[in-house]
Amino acid sequence: MSRTGIEPKPAWLTLPEQIRMATGEALGAPVVRAARVWGGYSPTPTYRLLLANGRKAFFKAVGPADNEFARAAHAREERVYRELADLIAPWAPELLGSFENGPWRVILLEDLGPKSAPPWSPGLAGQVSRSLGDFHVATLGVSLPDWLPRPDQHLLTDARLWRWADDPQALQNVASLAGAESADAMRWLREAAPSLVSASNSLRDAGGPVALAHRDVRSDNLRWVGGRLRLFDWPHVGVGPAEDDAAMFAQSVTAEGGPDPDTVMEWYGERAPLRPKILVGALASIAGFFADQAWRPEAPGLPRLRAFQRRQLWVTLNWASQRLHLPEPEWLDAVISYAPPRT
Ligand SMILES: Nc1ncnc2c1ncn2[C@@H]1O[C@H](COP(=O)(O)OP(=O)(O)OP(=O)(O)O)[C@@H](O)[C@H]1O
Ligand SMILES: [Mg+2]
């Protein structure tokens, strides 16, 4: 496969031979070809495999180079594939196997083929959005395991609730993304912050029903195959208001050049209930998250993340401003052309 990302993903042949052999053993036939897969924003070693028996599989691992954060995420994802198999089966790839070997921990999945999006045609965005509604409806109000994070742990966080905005320096960090327009940005942020804080905090009273939330639904974590939505990359799964999961997806479609977020939500709403107040709270809080992240220095190994977060900030803050009847944040256009200082 030609290289489609710039993240430092290792070539298959640089993996220890015992890991490559153990992969073939777990899958019942040796690996004859392995193509690195770039998709999201991280350097995770991921490969599409062709086996000697003609079958295919997908390989995802953590190894000696990975930090505790990545190792914990991998362990959580494996648990999701094992313990939530019944709940996620219609939407997730089949788990074909997993093994541990020294510092390596490997998950082997059904291969779901190449990326479906972007580009996001309206037809494709509509189909995926409606199917995401079906995914949420399937667990809406259903009793879900206690070990899954609840909104207190993943939604009602300082970043999401704009708590960081109490610090004038933190607001200045966001405003500085607007370059020459940073003074306008600072004025806008100071005036708008109370509305954004209040809308986000309304999520505290969201109440039920809640659903299983994937919490990372984005083009790099999904496929549209055979008329069905398939979701993978499950380490962040939790329990929460479905509108939040849907809004996170909707803004990502727009940030990738697809239809606007309200249109995506309309398609989603054809299949799943939408509570307007919770939706507004969700999108204000998602804007808070990207505002808290987008100005930060590039994280090691994730060279494209901040630029994408700046586009997501553009989408979500414009979207929240419309819904909350705030003045238009014209300074956001400058954020898209922001060039980070060279380090
Ligand atoms: N079952 C699968 N079949 C085919 N391709 C897959 C499958 N699972 C993941 N992929 C592809 O591999 C990429 C990486 O997998 P995944 O999203 O699970 O890991 P990640 O840690 O998020 O890495 P990245 O940030 O590179 O996406 C995905 O973005 C997707 O393009
Ligand atoms: Mg991913």
Side-chain angles (χ1 to χ4, degrees):
M1 170 186 272
S2 62
R3 189 169 177 140
T4 55
I6 57 171
E7 289 72 24
K9 296 208 177 213
W12 175 249
L13 288 175
T14 67
L15 265 56
E17 188 178 6
Q18 53 184 2
I19 300 304
R20 290 180 277 130
M21 299 289 282
T23 300
E25 277 157 31
L27 291 168
V31 176
V32 293
R33 207 165 67 210
R36 273 178 284 185
V37 187
W38 281 271
Y41 298 86
S42 82
T44 310
T46 44
Y47 309 88
R48 291 179 64 202
L49 307 178
L50 177 64
L51 308 179
N53 62 9
R55 299 181 76 119
K56 293 176 175 176
F58 181 81
F59 172 109
K60 176 174 187 175
V62 281
D66 290 297
N67 58 27
E68 274 318 302
F69 178 82
R71 303 186 75 77
H74 189 92
R76 274 200 311 274
E77 182 168 19
E78 188 178 338
R79 184 173 193 187
V80 169
Y81 276 112
R82 291 199 182 286
E83 297 187 26
L84 301 186
D86 291 348
L87 286 178
I88 66 174
W91 289 277
E94 188 188 343
L95 178 66
L96 301 178
S98 67
F99 64 89
E100 268 188 85
N101 187 316
W104 290 86
R105 203 166 168 157
V106 176
I107 299 178
L108 299 164
L109 299 169
E110 174 189 356
D111 176 25
L112 295 175
K115 275 190 117 169
S116 311
W120 282 109
S121 67
L124 178 65
Q127 284 168 313
V128 171
S129 309
R130 290 184 198 97
S131 299
L132 184 62
D134 294 339
F135 165 66
H136 287 144
V137 166
T139 56
L140 205 60
V142 167
S143 156
L144 294 163
D146 287 344
W147 57 269
L148 288 169
R150 271 27 196 199
D152 275 352
Q153 290 146 282
H154 65 78
L155 180 59
L156 306 174
T157 61
D158 287 357
R160 286 288 207 108
L161 300 183
W162 290 79
R163 286 207 188 101
W164 53 269
D166 292 346
D167 175 4
Q169 181 57 50
L171 278 188
Q172 188 58 57
N173 291 338
V174 182
S176 66
L177 289 174
E181 293 177 48
S182 64
D184 287 349
M186 194 63 187
R187 261 192 303 279
W188 188 95
L189 283 164
R190 275 212 198 90
E191 274 172 33
S195 297
L196 292 159
V197 169
S198 149
S200 308
N201 276 277
S202 72
L203 289 175
R204 293 168 170 288
D205 314 315
V210 284
L212 186 70
H214 176 283
R215 299 195 53 249
D216 209 10
V217 184
R218 217 176 32 222
S219 68
D220 45 291
N221 292 333
L222 65 81
R223 295 286 184 270
W224 180 259
V225 238
R228 276 172 65 193
L229 172 65
R230 310 295 290 278
L231 298 168
F232 44 76
D233 204 5
W234 293 90
H236 308 298
V237 68
V239 175
E243 290 88 344
D244 180 61
D245 218 25
M248 194 56 121
F249 167 68
Q251 63 81 28
S252 78
V253 170
T254 316
E256 290 182 328
D260 67 80
D262 278 320
T263 305
V264 174
M265 292 307 301
E266 268 171 42
W267 287 319
Y268 172 88
E270 290 173 23
R271 299 286 177 80
L274 272 179
R275 294 163 292 180
K277 190 159 176 251
I278 294 178
L279 176 59
V280 174
L283 56 96
S285 80
I286 296 170
F289 174 77
F290 290 125
D292 177 58
Q293 294 291 305
W295 59 269
R296 293 177 189 270
E298 298 292 354
L302 310 175
R304 292 176 306 133
L305 181 65
R306 300 297 181 216
F308 187 55
Q309 288 177 335
R310 290 194 290 275
R311 285 203 297 283
Q312 291 177 294
L313 174 62
W314 186 95
V315 175
T316 50
L317 208 46
N318 272 310
W319 190 15
S321 303
Q322 279 167 18
R323 288 298 189 100
L324 292 169
H325 309 292
L326 294 169
E328 196 182 334
E330 287 171 9
W331 56 275
L332 276 174
D333 290 349
V335 171
I336 297 296
S337 46
Y338 173 81
R342 286 182 177 271
T343 47

